[in-house]
Amino acid sequence: MKSGAILILIFWIVIIGCNGSKTSDTKSNFPKKDLVLPEAYDTLTKKQGNKAYLKFVKKQYDFGTIKKEKFPQIAINYEFTNTGEIPLIIYKADITCNCLSAEIPKRPINPNERDTIKVFVNTTGQRGALYKTIYIKSNASNDIESIQIKGFVK
């Protein structure tokens, strides 16, 4: 009898503890510096009918044939311009391989402003033809864009 009452008491403590922590965790983990609210830009876009537009200077980079001993890592800059009418926010860059990493701008890109997305390719585990795609997700009217890397690793 005592063990059943103890189990019920523990159950209620866990339930009450979990419900109370939901609101405090989301508030305390929220970033305080350089806060960008994509929802606010999306709302502005829908109200005014304006959009950002992500336009790359070059969407494909061909590094040719390289020796991985000489070039264990390749850094590529993809330049782009926001040719739209409101600030462009790049949410994320989805990579298709563990051999890739990408750095995206952390701030809104104003209309007619240029910036870069930096992509790094680790060639040490690669051999032969390499063709990789990175998907860029943003608040632009072309909300998902892709950029490619190709070449041959010896």
Side-chain angles (χ1 to χ4, degrees), residues 34-73:
D34 298 323
L35 180 63
V36 175
L37 297 174
E39 305 86 29
Y41 285 107
D42 289 342
T43 303
L44 178 66
T45 300
K46 290 174 187 163
K47 283 184 181 177
Q48 296 180 347
N50 299 332
K51 282 284 193 176
Y53 191 84
L54 176 61
K55 184 175 181 184
F56 283 97
V57 173
K58 188 176 178 182
K59 292 176 74 173
Q60 189 175 67
Y61 181 82
D62 185 349
F63 60 80
T65 301
I66 62 165
K67 291 184 179 181
K68 61 182 169 184
E69 294 83 23
K70 275 187 142 180
F71 299 98
Q73 185 172 19

Side-chain angles (χ1 to χ4, degrees), residues 83-116:
T83 59
E85 299 174 5
I86 66 166
L88 169 72
I89 300 170
I90 297 179
Y91 300 132
K92 64 179 178 173
D94 285 332
I95 55 176
T96 58
C97 173
N98 287 337
C99 63
L100 299 174
S101 62
E103 290 180 7
I104 60 173
K106 293 183 174 32
R107 61 174 183 80
I109 310 303
N110 290 319
N112 299 313
E113 188 177 355
R114 293 181 84 143
D115 209 327
T116 59

